[in-house]
Amino acid sequence: YSINAEVRFMDRWNIIGRYDNFDLDSGVEKERTIAGIAYKYNNYVEFIANYLGEDISGKTETDAIMLTAEVNW
């Protein structure tokens, strides 16, 4: 299953979150958490900072921080 949420506030700011939990065909359980904040600079540019955490069957953990810029033209 997967749960997503986005909260928009102060006209240009968004808080985003997502939680995934699924079983792979090999019997491995995987959990993923994503949380972040986005700032809409103008109609064409948005900056996003995310945290990504993964846990695979309680044995392997991964943490990452991502900074991205989305440009639309």
Side-chain angles (χ1 to χ4, degrees):
Y1 63 91
S2 182
I3 300 170
N4 296 316
E6 180 177 0
V7 178
R8 296 179 181 168
F9 64 98
M10 292 179 26
D11 190 42
R12 295 182 180 256
W13 291 91
N14 297 343
I15 295 175
I16 55 177
R18 177 175 163 172
Y19 175 77
D20 300 321
N21 184 316
F22 49 93
D23 293 322
L24 304 174
D25 290 336
S26 61
V28 174
E29 183 178 341
K30 186 172 183 179
E31 293 183 35
R32 178 184 299 144
T33 304
I34 301 171
I37 189 163
Y39 175 73
K40 186 174 182 178
Y41 182 71
N42 58 33
N43 287 336
Y44 306 103
V45 178
E46 186 171 8
F47 298 104
I48 305 165
N50 285 341
Y51 163 78
L52 169 65
E54 289 186 332
D55 181 34
I56 301 173
S57 293
K59 298 176 185 174
T60 304
E61 264 188 49
T62 303
D63 294 310
I65 295 176
M66 300 177 288
L67 302 172
T68 57
E70 181 179 305
V71 179
N72 298 299
W73 67 86

